[in-house]
Amino acid sequence: MHRFDAQAADLVRAICDFARVRLGFDPVPLDAPLSWDELAAAVGSTITAEGIGGRRALEVFDEELSRACISTDHPRNLAFIPAAPTKAAVLFDLVVGASSIYAGSWMEGAGAVFAENEALRWLSDLAGFPACAGGLFVPGGTVGNLSALAAARHAARSRLTAAGRPTPPRWRFVCGAEAHSSLYQAATVLDTEVVVVPTDDAGRLTGPLLAEALDRLAEQDGAQAVDGVFAVVATAGTTQFGTVDDIRGVVDVCQARGLWVHVDGAYGLAALAAASTHSLFDGIAETDSFIVDPHKWLFAPFDACALVYRDPAVARAAHGPQRAGYLEVLDSAGAWNPSDYAIGLSRRARGLPFWFSLATHGTLAYGRAIESTLATARAAALQIAALPYVELVREPQLSIVVFRRLGWQAADYQRWSENLLRDGFAFVPPTVHEGETVARFAIVNPRTTVDDIGAILATMA
Ligand SMILES: *Cc1c(COP(=O)(O)O)cnc(C)c1O
C-alpha cells in the first residue's frame, strides 16, 4: 500500500526537484562559507515548537545554508582531497536514506551487506588479497586506520600471551614521516607511541630505512621495545604529495620480523584501478590490511571508507561481537556482521552508493575515470614546468601536484587563494611544506580539465 498525505506528497516533489537541479548544474556553484553572524542574520531560528514546515526548511537550506558550503565536487575545487561522486552514487544515497536499513548485522541488513561485500571484493581483488579477505565500510579513513591498528595490536598481544611472554611496557607502531595525521589520533586513542621513520628524498618510507629504524630501536631500548612494535603503516598516496611508500620493501622487512603491515590508502589506493599506476603498489598483496576511501577518489559521496583485512577472523577477535543480552540473537554461527570488524555498532549501509555506481558503470569506467585525472595531473605538472613563474616542488606520482610561485610569501598565496574563492572561480588553499607555503592541486574530479588548470595558473602570473 502506498499513501502520502498532501504535505508529504508535496515534500517528495520538492526534494526530488532539489536533487534534480543540484545534479543538473554544470558546473555546480562553488559557493563559500559565511560567518556565524551572517548566517544567523540570514537564517534566523529554524527550530521552533510547531515546526516551520518542510517546504520552508528546504527553502532555507537551498537559499542560505547550502550556499554557505563549498561544493566539494566543483571541477576547480582542488583543495585538501575534494570529491567527485557520480550522479548514480549520489542518487543512490537518497535510496539508502529512504530504505531505513540497519547494516550492522547480517540478520537485519543481509541484502545491503551482500552488495557492500561485492564492492569490497572488487577492491580486495585489485589489491591481490585472497578470497577469504573481507571487511566493511566505516565512516572514514580515520576510523579505518584506528580499527585496523586496534586489530593489529590485539593480534600482537594475543601472540605474546600465547607464547607466555610478558606484555611490553609500551605499544608502538611505525610509519613514515609524511604519514597522515589520523595515525597520530589513532595512537592517542590506543595509548600507543608512534615511531616516525625519516623518509627518503622522494618522501617515501622504504624497506632499508624501516629496517634501520627497527634495529636502532632494539639497540636503544632492548628486546621489550621490539616486542611492543605491533604494526607498520605504509602510506599508499600521502595526502600532501600523493607519494606512495616502498610497500614491497616494507613487506619484506615486516615478514622477516613477524609484523603486521597496514596500508593507509585513503586517497591513493584508488589508483590500483588504473593500469598506469598499478605497479606503484607492488607488494600490497602481501600486507595484512588496507583502507581506501570511496569518498575521495572513487566517485562516491561522504562518508565511506573501505577497510579490508587479509584475515577477517583476526579482526573479529579484536572488535566483535559486542556483548549484550539483546545482541545475542545476531551472533548466529557463520553470519557476517560488519560491526564485528571495526569500531562501532549501528551502521548506515554507507557502501551502497559506491556499490550502485560501480554496478551501474562497470569497473572499466572506474579505471578510465582515474586515468583521466592522472592525465590531468601530469598535464598540470608539464604546464608548471613550462611556465617561468612557477616550479614543481616534487614530480607527482599520483594526482596531487605541489608547486611554488617564485617570489611569493605566505601572505601572497593566502590573498590569491581568497580572491579565487571570493570570485567563485576556484578553491585552491595553499599548504605548508618544510616551513614553506606552497600551492597544491589535488585532482580527483574527471571534470577538471587541463584548461581549468591553465586558467588557475594564469591567475598567478
Ligand atoms: C584523508 C586521509 C585519511 C583520513 O581519512 P578520512 O576519511 O578523512 O577520515 C587518512 N589517510 C590519508 C592518507 C588520507 O589522505
Side-chain angles (χ1 to χ4, degrees):
M1 184 158 59
H2 291 90
R3 186 154 34 199
F4 284 125
D5 60 28
Q7 255 184 6
D10 183 54
L11 205 50
V12 168
R13 261 191 310 277
I15 296 273
C16 290
D17 282 347
F18 176 89
R20 191 169 13 246
V21 170
R22 176 64 173 67
L23 291 174
F25 279 128
D26 184 20
V28 294
L30 182 59
D31 295 329
L34 295 175
S35 71
W36 183 282
D37 287 343
E38 286 168 320
L39 275 171
V43 173
S45 147
T46 49
I47 305 303
T48 66
E50 304 297 332
I52 60 174
R55 271 280 174 183
R56 175 66 194 136
L58 182 61
E59 202 173 271
V60 169
F61 179 77
D62 185 2
E63 290 172 12
E64 308 294 346
L65 301 174
S66 72
R67 293 173 200 212
C69 300
I70 297 176
S71 295
T72 53
D73 53 352
H74 188 284
R76 286 187 297 275
N77 183 339
L78 309 178
F80 314 112
I81 309 283
T86 62
K87 289 182 174 47
V90 171
L91 286 166
F92 209 75
D93 215 23
L94 296 178
V95 175
V96 172
S99 302
S100 297
I101 295 164
Y102 177 91
S105 73
W106 185 264
M107 177 188 246
E108 286 186 85
V113 174
F114 178 86
E116 286 189 320
N117 286 359
E118 290 283 290
L120 289 172
R121 165 68 34 216
W122 178 60
L123 295 169
S124 175
D125 286 348
L126 282 176
F129 268 28
C132 63
L136 75 164
F137 290 93
V138 294
T142 302
V143 178
N145 283 334
L146 173 62
S147 299
L149 288 167
R153 184 184 42 195
H154 184 87
R157 183 189 280 134
S158 305
R159 223 175 20 243
L160 286 178
T161 308
R165 307 251 295 275
T167 303
R170 289 297 288 161
W171 290 106
R172 315 174 198 227
F173 66 84
V174 183
C175 64
E178 299 196 3
H180 191 262
S181 49
S182 59
L183 296 176
Y184 296 86
Q185 203 173 25
T188 303
V189 174
L190 293 167
D191 191 23
T192 63
E193 279 172 20
V194 185
V195 178
V196 180
V197 180
T199 54
D200 70 4
D201 290 343
R204 303 179 330 144
L205 173 64
T206 66
L209 289 169
L210 172 63
E212 200 183 304
L214 291 171
D215 291 344
R216 203 175 324 118
L217 194 65
E219 274 165 34
Q220 280 170 3
D221 296 10
Q224 283 249 305
V226 177
D227 276 355
V229 176
F230 63 91
V232 175
V233 181
T235 301
T238 59
T239 319
Q240 176 84 310
F241 282 98
T243 306
V244 182
D245 283 344
D246 166 26
I247 301 174
R248 165 64 56 198
V250 168
V251 162
D252 288 347
V253 170
C254 291
Q255 281 184 345
R257 302 176 192 227
L259 286 171
W260 180 299
V261 183
H262 172 65
V263 179
D264 177 2
Y267 149 72
L269 265 188
L272 271 174
S276 73
T277 42
H278 194 273
S279 65
L280 285 174
F281 308 104
D282 179 41
I284 189 167
E286 288 153 64
T287 62
D288 297 281
S289 56
F290 70 81
I291 61 157
V292 55
D293 282 0
H295 68 223
K296 283 185 171 168
W297 200 6
L298 285 170
F299 319 113
F302 301 107
D303 49 7
C305 165
L307 163 59
V308 180
Y309 300 98
R310 158 179 302 278
D311 181 359
V314 177
R316 191 166 186 275
H319 286 294
Q322 288 191 22
R323 290 287 166 207
Y326 52 83
L327 292 175
E328 264 164 36
V329 63
L330 299 175
D331 196 20
S332 64
W336 181 273
N337 297 325
S339 301
D340 292 350
Y341 299 92
I343 314 292
L345 181 60
S346 298
R347 268 190 84 239
R348 175 180 174 83
R350 62 171 65 84
L352 286 188
F354 173 56
W355 161 79
F356 182 76
S357 180
L358 199 55
T360 299
H361 295 293
T363 58
L364 290 177
Y366 274 68
R368 282 193 298 269
I370 293 162
E371 286 292 5
S372 93
T373 55
L374 286 163
T376 306
R378 290 173 196 137
L382 287 176
Q383 285 192 32
I384 288 160
L387 287 168
Y389 53 87
V390 283
E391 70 181 13
L392 288 171
V393 175
R394 271 189 209 162
E395 216 38 71
Q397 270 191 308
L398 296 174
S399 70
I400 294 173
V401 186
V402 182
F403 60 101
R404 61 174 64 84
R405 166 66 168 83
L406 302 175
W408 275 15
Q409 305 299 316
D412 300 307
Y413 288 97
Q414 207 60 49
R415 204 173 319 112
W416 165 76
S417 173
E418 282 165 12
N419 287 342
L420 290 182
L421 184 62
R422 199 195 45 229
D423 296 346
F425 182 68
F427 185 37
V428 192
T431 188
V432 176
H433 172 62
E434 292 177 352
E436 178 192 4
T437 298
V438 290
R440 174 178 171 279
F441 295 156
I443 301 165
V444 297
N445 191 336
R447 289 173 173 275
T448 304
T449 63
V450 176
D451 286 348
D452 286 326
I453 300 294
I456 294 169
L457 289 173
T459 63
M460 299 178 113

